[in-house]
Amino acid sequence: MTQIRIAIAGYGNLGRGAEAAIKQSPDMRLVSVFSRRDPASVTLLDSSVPVYAMDDIEQYQNDIDVLLLCGGSKSDLPEQGPQLAGLFNIVDSFDTHAKIPEYFTALDAPAKSAGKVALLSVGWDPGLFSLNRLYGEAILPVGETYTFWGKGLSQGHSDAVRRVAGVKSGVQYTIPSESAMARVRNGEQPTLSTREKHTRECFIVLADGADAEAVRSTIVNMPDYFSDYDTTVNFIDAHTFSEQHSSMPHGGFVIRSGVSGSDNAKQVLEFSLKLGSNPGFTSSVLVAYARAAYKMNQAGETGAKTVLDVAPGLLSPKTPAELRKELL
Ligand SMILES: NC(=O)C1=CN([C@@H]2O[C@H](COP(=O)(O)OP(=O)(O)OC[C@H]3O[C@@H](n4cnc5c(N)ncnc54)[C@H](OP(=O)(O)O)[C@@H]3O)[C@@H](O)[C@H]2O)C=CC1
Ligand SMILES: N[C@@H](C[C@H]1CC(C(=O)O)=NO1)C(=O)O
């Protein structure tokens, strides 16, 4: 079997998860990892895979079928996405929801001119939750959709706080409103503001000499990430951080509550996730969509795509005939 040649750009939580997920995919082979850090300083799970400097990535175009972009959405992907979409088939997890339309446009032009596919905003939200919001609205047009996350560690928000000047280490937990969730589960269709659905809590280790109040203000007022939420910022020491904030569980659910049928029956569509490791799951979604991106490009497709544009069967290593036999 000819294996799909995968490379990883950016070796953090998501990059390490992707390396592990590729090992679970016999139809794929990890060929290289690219990092902005000194390659000699990057320790991979699999020592047989070479690490190269990100600056040299262009020379490896012919060795890679799909490149997984595992950088942070706050500042890495806005720069790396458009540049790498002009060189490779790419898959990324861009999750600054408010900026997805402009990011889509920024990837579409270089991908089309290079004859490549750029599959953006892949993961669980955006990603699998986006798909289920679509299913809910298409199947139950009369109703309301609700999304709740956590309690768990948001990688996007944790990446964002780590980019703040004066932050040495940081994580962010998302906490859903129990009362809001109860109302929705009871079949009410309340109108809930962003602030009424979730609160956010950060744990920060300050860099030496950093101004705590300046860091707190930057975080709580950060557009697209924290400004629309009630956010708590806790400052802790490095030992406490390491002891208490090293795991990354998360989860959540999408619920569509509506009515349909001649009797206007109450219908509820729900999709939920319980994740022991947010990066471990998200990277597995990236790898499944890397398979789809490869197939789409082999079939002549180019340009920017989201999960809403991908036929589900393309995610599977099975043939369409096997899928019809086994999954229908
Ligand atoms: N759509 C979705 O459902 C989801 C999306 N995401 C997205 O994934 C993004 C990445 O998350 P995550 O992997 O946790 O981010 P990390 O902070 O772990 O990694 C981000 C980048 O930082 C660099 N880096 C990592 N560790 C170090 C280090 N010790 N020293 C210096 N640089 C380092 C790496 O780049 P380099 O190797 O080049 O140095 C890496 O690509 C998030 O920003 C989020 O937007 C995450 C979960 C779900
Ligand atoms: N993109 C999120 C995935 C989910 C989790 C989340 C949040 O806690 O705000 N929003 O979407 C992440 O980076 O973990």
Side-chain angles (χ1 to χ4, degrees):
M1 165 179 58
T2 305
Q3 290 179 300
I4 303 169
R5 299 168 301 169
I6 308 289
I8 291 167
Y11 198 68
N13 299 313
L14 220 49
R16 285 190 293 275
E19 184 181 9
I22 294 163
K23 284 190 188 328
Q24 293 183 328
S25 309
D27 62 328
M28 296 185 182
R29 177 163 62 90
L30 180 63
V31 295
S32 50
V33 169
F34 296 87
S35 175
R36 289 160 301 184
R37 284 165 285 166
D38 173 3
S41 74
V42 179
T43 306
L44 299 182
L45 304 177
D46 179 352
S47 58
S48 67
V49 176
V51 184
Y52 302 116
M54 191 77 81
D55 287 344
D56 298 338
I57 197 167
E58 189 164 350
Q59 65 188 277
Y60 297 92
Q61 271 186 278
N62 296 329
D63 306 319
I64 297 164
D65 295 314
V66 183
L67 179 68
L68 300 181
L69 273 57
C70 295
S73 293
K74 183 76 170 59
S75 48
D76 296 337
L77 295 182
E79 177 194 330
Q80 295 174 342
Q83 181 225 333
L84 297 173
L87 298 170
F88 302 92
N89 291 311
I90 68 164
V91 181
D92 77 30
S93 64
F94 184 76
D95 67 355
T96 312
H97 293 260
K99 296 187 174 176
I100 288 177
E102 70 184 74
Y103 184 67
F104 181 101
T105 302
L107 262 57
D108 193 42
K112 280 181 174 151
S113 63
K116 300 294 184 183
V117 164
L119 236 179
L120 61 125
S121 297
V122 174
W124 54 288
D125 203 357
L128 302 184
F129 277 21
S130 313
L131 283 171
N132 282 276
R133 288 190 283 263
L134 177 143
Y135 296 149
E137 292 192 0
I139 294 162
L140 294 171
V142 178
E144 293 294 335
T145 302
Y146 300 88
T147 301
F148 288 99
W149 311 291
K151 179 179 180 180
L153 181 143
S154 167
Q155 291 177 254
H157 293 79
S158 299
D159 169 64
V161 301
R162 288 193 289 267
R163 307 296 171 130
V164 173
V167 172
K168 185 177 181 184
S169 316
V171 290
Q172 187 267 198
Y173 299 95
T174 311
I175 302 149
S177 160
E178 295 297 334
S179 60
M181 287 197 292
R183 291 180 64 193
V184 170
R185 286 199 189 285
N186 289 340
E188 288 182 46
Q189 295 188 2
T191 301
L192 297 165
S193 70
T194 298
R195 211 172 285 274
E196 287 175 314
K197 288 192 281 187
H198 297 90
T199 56
R200 298 188 177 281
E201 186 167 24
C202 303
F203 290 86
I204 305 292
V205 178
L206 286 173
D208 293 344
D211 177 341
E213 282 320 302
V215 168
R216 183 194 311 278
S217 176
T218 303
I219 290 173
V220 302
N221 294 305
M222 189 186 298
D224 300 327
Y225 284 87
F226 295 99
S227 56
D228 294 336
Y229 296 87
D230 293 338
T231 300
T232 307
V233 180
N234 306 289
F235 297 103
I236 58 176
D237 62 64
H239 176 70
T240 305
F241 186 89
S242 172
E243 288 288 303
Q244 298 178 9
H245 301 286
S246 296
S247 66
M248 292 177 272
H250 211 345
F253 61 93
V254 169
I255 191 164
R256 176 75 175 178
S257 172
V259 294
S260 73
S262 55
D263 57 353
N264 250 3
K266 276 203 169 185
Q267 322 281 25
V268 175
L269 175 150
E270 183 169 344
F271 174 78
S272 71
L273 290 174
K274 289 181 178 58
L275 306 179
S277 164
N278 188 349
F281 181 81
T282 302
S283 50
S284 297
V285 181
L286 287 175
V287 167
Y289 275 89
R291 183 178 293 116
Y294 175 72
K295 293 177 185 176
M296 290 166 81
N297 193 240
Q298 290 291 301
E301 294 203 47
T302 63
K305 312 284 179 185
T306 73
V307 296
L308 306 181
D309 303 312
V310 179
L314 295 174
L315 300 178
S316 174
K318 295 178 178 174
T319 65
E322 287 167 335
L323 291 173
R324 284 192 293 273
K325 186 177 168 197
E326 296 173 25
L327 297 186
L328 280 179

